[in-house]
Amino acid sequence: MSAIHPPAQRIWWKQPLDKIELAWILIAFVWCLVMFFMMPYWHVYGKQNLSNETYRTTPEIFAKKTQEVVDKHTVRTETEEKIPVVRPPAGGDVYLIARLWAWWPILELEKGKTYRLHLSAMDYQHGFSLQPENINVQVLPGYEHVMNVTPNRSGEYAIVCNEFCGIGHHKMVSKLYVVDK
Ligand code: CUA
């Protein structure tokens, strides 16, 4: 029997299994198991995926909560669009909105302090990618992702959108500041 020609016997699945065929089935099965167990293993030891909590929300509720933090803790604005730079109290809740095609607001965090970072989208799926840390989180409308983050290096980080979200996708970039005190 070959892979290109039709099988000689119509009831081909009742023919005895070839040794090679069995070997490949076993190899494929073992590989499936390896990949299956690598998922939880890598989640814990790979230091790449952030454990997060997820809650249902709506764009309106999330925008309102973000606005409250922005109103309270904006320290300055940046760029022509006057994007607020928000410096929330250490240990506090930090909100970041993803929408076509911007991140809002800009966050300024303190090194060594732990924050609760809340992410949600207003419209479509976006991707929160923090560079050069290589942290990746999908951001979806209707869902609020919450992560505990503790920045361990001060400086300016880039946030890029890594889910294609339309014509302005490549312009959906922002930054995140981590300051020493
Ligand atoms: Cu947002 Cu791509």
Side-chain angles (χ1 to χ4, degrees), residues 59-76:
E60 294 74 33
I61 294 171
F62 193 82
K64 192 166 165 275
K65 287 200 277 187
T66 307
Q67 188 66 54
E68 279 166 18
V69 177
V70 169
D71 289 343
K72 257 194 219 153
H73 302 294
T74 297
V75 286
R76 62 179 184 278

Side-chain angles (χ1 to χ4, degrees), residues 107-152:
L107 301 171
E108 187 169 277
L109 307 179
E110 220 175 283
K111 182 182 155 189
K113 296 280 159 36
T114 301
Y115 298 84
R116 304 252 308 151
L117 174 61
H118 301 246
L119 292 171
S120 191
M122 294 294 107
D123 34 44
Y124 303 103
Q125 172 172 238
H126 300 279
F128 173 86
S129 173
L130 188 70
Q131 299 298 336
E133 289 302 310
N134 237 356
I135 285 170
N136 272 316
V137 184
Q138 279 189 319
V139 189
L140 299 158
Y143 293 91
E144 181 170 346
H145 299 282
V146 191
M147 283 149 283
N148 292 320
V149 294
T150 312
N152 56 6

Side-chain angles (χ1 to χ4, degrees), residues 77-83:
T77 60
E78 280 191 11
T79 75
E80 291 154 34
E81 293 93 30
K82 301 233 181 302
I83 301 174

Side-chain angles (χ1 to χ4, degrees), residues 98-103 123-128 139 160-166 168-173:
R99 66 177 170 224
L100 299 175
W101 285 284
W103 300 94
D123 34 44
Y124 303 103
Q125 172 172 238
H126 300 279
F128 173 86
V139 189
V160 301
C161 179
N162 66 357
E163 292 284 353
F164 182 71
C165 55
H169 164 70
H170 63 288
K171 291 196 298 187
M172 193 168 162
V173 291

